[in-house]
Amino acid sequence: MILIDGKKVAAELREELKQEVSELKAKHNKAPGLTVILIGDMVPSQIYVRMKEKAANEVGLKSEVIRYPEAVEEKAVLNKIEELNKDESVSGILVQLPLPKHIDKQKVIETIAPAKDVDGFHPINVGNLSSGYESTIPCTPLGCYLLIKKFEKNLSGKNAVVVGRSNLNGKPMTQLLLKENCTVTITHSKTKDLKGECLKADIIVAAVGIPELVKGDWVKKDTIVIDVGINKTDKGIVGDVAFDEVSKVAKAITPVPGGVGPMTIACLLKNTIECFKRLNSQN
Ligand code: GUN
């Protein structure tokens, strides 16, 4: 079994991005800028945003976090996004999810200029990805994709099973695997025989948010298993894959933590740089 070391791959990617940022700064006389909007004081969101800010600074991006209290009015957030859309020093805008209930998530996402949507959540980016056009690809599925490709260059004809159909992970992951000519099965809570589907898979991407759902006897011996889950349990943080069992069977597997997580953040930096390059491509 091979342990797919996301921490190491992410560190290599950050090193490449750092180099690229320094070249872009020399060429354009300004750094790509990432602005994160954080609403409320939910601890996981605070931690994620701090990690994003730190990583952005490390590769030389201009990074800013705008914090609002939980009770902020939706209009104030939308106005700020409009302002950032026009601000030439901002290449990427990210509004950390989840949002308080009184704020309409879709309205917020649709207010972000598609060219600055580093999450790839805007319907324009979602549509472009599903049509096979250039788009910003959501950070977590992009991270999974890069890990799979690092391990296996040719995915053509492989059976890929995506467990989970979320807009953040499952659906964009499916698009990326389709583009690589995989035969993709997208499974979810109503799937009749999840174990049977997983047993047909050459690649499993588990992004469902159920602790240790994918078991050792669900996986063939030559399968690559990518675990997107981060679940808090009595025994600590575990993924959506029963690591101890599955790692005895699978060809390769990502650990939790240290697998997909670090790649998500590195891909956010990558997306910010891509947005900067597209925004500055005419001059
Ligand atoms: N909350 C958890 N994951 C994400 C993500 O990828 N993007 C944003 N904006 N919020 C999140």
Side-chain angles (χ1 to χ4, degrees):
M1 185 273 301
I2 292 165
L3 194 67
I4 304 177
D5 188 347
K7 222 168 147 180
K8 180 160 163 262
V9 179
E12 288 164 6
L13 177 55
R14 285 199 306 273
E15 215 35 61
E16 282 169 30
L17 296 175
K18 195 171 173 179
Q19 181 62 34
E20 192 173 7
V21 170
S22 116
E23 286 163 17
L24 287 169
K25 271 184 183 166
K27 184 173 171 198
H28 296 275
N29 245 327
K30 59 180 177 182
L34 171 66
T35 299
V36 176
I37 296 181
L38 173 61
I39 304 172
D41 44 20
M42 274 184 55
V43 173
S45 291
Q46 304 269 355
I47 294 172
Y48 291 139
V49 168
R50 211 173 305 132
M51 286 160 75
K52 289 172 183 177
E53 190 182 18
K54 182 167 167 270
N57 286 327
E58 271 170 19
V59 301
L61 299 182
K62 185 174 154 293
S63 137
E64 183 190 20
V65 179
I66 299 172
R67 292 181 167 79
Y68 288 109
E70 179 86 16
V72 66
E73 277 188 31
E74 181 184 275
K75 193 72 201 145
V77 178
L78 299 180
N79 287 345
K80 176 53 81 177
I81 294 172
E82 304 270 14
E83 194 185 299
L84 297 170
N85 285 341
K86 292 187 206 116
D87 185 338
E88 285 193 7
S89 72
V90 175
S91 336
I93 304 167
L94 179 147
V95 180
Q96 185 67 24
L97 304 176
L99 296 174
K101 284 199 178 59
H102 67 281
I103 297 181
D104 181 340
K105 179 178 82 176
Q106 200 55 19
K107 216 185 225 176
V108 166
I109 289 171
E110 290 182 20
T111 303
I112 299 172
K116 296 190 177 186
D117 166 35
V118 278
D119 267 322
F121 294 166
H122 191 288
I124 295 267
N125 282 317
V126 176
N128 280 340
L129 176 61
S130 75
S131 305
Y133 299 127
E134 186 177 56
S135 69
T136 299
I137 299 163
C139 307
T140 300
L142 178 59
C144 296
Y145 168 79
L146 294 176
L147 286 179
I148 297 168
K149 285 291 279 186
K150 190 101 193 162
F151 187 76
E152 192 86 54
K153 294 278 173 290
N154 184 7
L155 306 181
S156 186
K158 296 216 179 285
N159 286 330
V161 170
V162 178
V163 187
R165 57 175 154 180
S166 72
N167 291 335
L168 263 72
N169 294 309
K171 285 183 199 159
M173 192 70 236
T174 301
Q175 299 297 347
L176 292 172
L177 292 165
L178 271 177
K179 246 180 163 171
E180 289 291 320
N181 299 317
C182 290
T183 302
V184 189
T185 305
I186 183 155
T187 64
H188 46 78
S189 58
K190 303 287 187 294
T191 297
K192 277 202 181 117
D193 180 14
L194 192 50
K195 176 180 173 182
E197 296 299 339
C198 286
L199 275 169
K200 291 182 226 156
D202 303 309
I203 300 165
I204 296 174
V205 180
V208 72
I210 301 174
E212 301 183 316
L213 175 73
V214 178
K215 304 287 188 286
D217 62 352
W218 291 25
V219 177
K220 292 190 290 159
K221 70 170 173 27
D222 56 353
T223 303
I224 301 170
V225 180
I226 306 291
D227 191 350
V228 178
I230 302 176
N231 306 293
K232 224 172 166 180
T233 68
D234 294 344
K235 61 177 197 184
I237 302 284
V238 301
D240 293 347
V241 175
F243 183 86
D244 290 348
E245 295 176 18
V246 175
S247 60
K248 290 196 180 85
V249 190
K251 178 161 76 174
I253 185 169
T254 59
V256 177
V260 173
M263 288 301 287
T264 295
I265 296 182
C267 287
L268 170 64
L269 312 177
K270 182 175 165 60
N271 282 352
T272 306
I273 295 165
E274 295 299 324
C275 287
F276 176 88
K277 287 197 287 192
R278 272 186 237 132
L279 287 163
N280 289 280
S281 62
Q282 285 94 342
N283 45 30

